[in-house]
Amino acid sequence: MALPFRRKAVSTDTLPVPEQLPKHIGFIMDGNGRWATKRGMPRKFGHREGAKTFHDLTRYCRSIGIQNISFYVFSTENWKRPKEEVDAIMDLLWQYLNDCDEYLEQEVRMIFIGDKSRLPERIQKRMLELEADSAKYHKMNLLLAINYGGRDEIKHATQLIAEEVQAGKLQVSDITEDTISQHLYTKEVPDVDLLIRPSGELRLSNFLIWQCAYAEYYFTNVLWPDFSRAELNKALIAYAKRGRRFGGV
């Protein structure tokens, strides 16, 4: 059954011009559990509300021309949470994966980053199907980080490079930063320009740590289920006002 979407009308009159918008936005979807707890509800209800926010912002980013968006769905550390909460997240993920026709109709490419092997088999299979079905689309790349950790990703890339060196396909002296980038899960998309984290926390939490080397960070106390299109506009306006020098002057 399709998840309900919250329709949010918002003016874009104050948005930066297209060339000032980030090419890649990363979202750390934080605060779902706290949102539910504040309302006297089980944490799983917060994750359900957070999923609605995710759907709405994906639509909105597509409509204003953002080319790449990444969402931190489930980290390698999230397995430490109570089994009931993990099971609820996996059930919600399964519902979501079976309700992605809209993205395919909008020619959005879906890319799943992280270690798929620990996920339930039905979810692994569906992820592979969606990646194959959307591989030809280029209107927007939607990256979902599931069972993902930045250090784990770098370890995985290092292992792949070591295998190539061992096989004689690559010389150690030829390894560059670009070599590492091309062995990451995100090899087909540019690095993050704008990293957004709601809920008042001020850290990356192991999310796209290589790709965020020159990202602009935007933190807010708003909990993820309440992070609206208007809140995203605030982040985009703040981003456009920052100087992007990449070590230059």
Side-chain angles (χ1 to χ4, degrees):
M1 184 175 69
L3 292 172
F5 292 143
R6 286 177 291 180
R7 308 279 182 174
K8 302 180 182 179
V10 60
S11 171
T12 60
D13 293 343
T14 58
L15 275 180
V17 294
E19 54 267 28
Q20 291 181 313
L21 291 174
K23 291 181 172 59
H24 186 174
I25 304 176
F27 293 94
I28 298 178
M29 301 187 290
D30 195 17
N32 292 331
R34 276 170 283 171
W35 184 93
T37 300
K38 286 176 62 177
R39 290 160 175 77
M41 298 186 295
R43 290 173 60 86
K44 65 181 180 181
F45 285 98
H47 294 300
R48 185 170 295 276
E49 288 301 307
K52 296 175 186 177
T53 297
F54 157 77
H55 278 294
D56 190 68
L57 290 184
T58 298
R59 285 177 162 186
Y60 184 53
C61 286
R62 170 72 172 78
S63 71
I64 63 174
I66 304 298
Q67 298 170 346
N68 305 277
I69 52 175
S70 299
F71 291 91
Y72 207 3
V73 179
F74 191 85
S75 76
T76 51
E77 292 76 31
N78 286 156
W79 297 104
K80 301 174 186 177
R81 294 187 176 187
K83 184 177 184 301
E84 180 183 3
E85 183 176 350
V86 171
D87 289 345
I89 293 173
M90 290 298 152
D91 288 342
L92 187 60
L93 177 59
W94 175 245
Q95 292 178 40
Y96 161 73
L97 293 177
N98 283 288
D99 187 37
C100 292
D101 289 345
E102 177 182 3
Y103 300 138
L104 300 181
E105 291 169 2
Q106 293 294 317
E107 298 186 6
V108 172
R109 184 180 181 187
M110 300 187 68
I111 302 172
F112 297 93
I113 62 175
D115 181 4
K116 297 181 178 71
S117 65
R118 191 175 176 183
L119 299 170
E121 186 174 348
R122 64 175 182 170
I123 288 180
Q124 294 184 48
K125 181 179 179 182
R126 183 59 178 152
M127 290 162 69
L128 292 172
E129 290 174 350
L130 288 168
E131 286 184 324
D133 290 344
S134 65
K136 59 182 177 293
Y137 299 139
H138 302 287
K139 292 295 179 65
M140 183 174 75
N141 290 319
L142 169 59
L143 286 76
L144 299 179
I146 304 173
N147 194 28
Y148 172 89
R151 289 183 175 182
D152 185 70
E153 178 183 29
I154 294 172
K155 180 194 74 174
H156 178 258
T158 302
Q159 290 172 334
L160 294 177
I161 293 170
E163 290 174 359
E164 293 183 15
V165 171
Q166 191 173 42
K169 299 178 180 178
L170 184 67
Q171 297 297 314
V172 172
S173 58
D174 293 330
I175 297 174
T176 63
E177 289 187 11
D178 186 61
T179 306
I180 297 172
S181 293
Q182 289 304 311
H183 286 80
L184 297 174
Y185 296 128
T186 56
K187 61 185 178 182
E188 298 179 82
V189 299
D191 286 346
V192 176
D193 296 308
L194 174 63
L195 188 283
I196 297 174
R197 180 165 192 163
S199 85
E201 303 294 347
L202 306 176
R203 57 180 179 270
L204 275 179
S205 293
N206 204 19
F207 181 53
L208 299 177
I209 53 179
W210 177 277
Q211 299 87 339
C212 283
Y214 275 100
E216 299 293 330
Y217 293 173
Y218 182 86
F219 299 110
T220 173
N221 290 325
V222 176
L223 299 177
W224 177 251
D226 293 326
F227 192 84
S228 63
R229 297 181 179 194
E231 291 295 333
L232 176 55
N233 283 353
K234 292 178 184 178
L236 294 174
I237 293 168
Y239 170 84
K241 293 178 180 178
R242 299 184 188 182
R244 302 275 286 160
R245 295 184 295 275
F246 299 96
V249 295

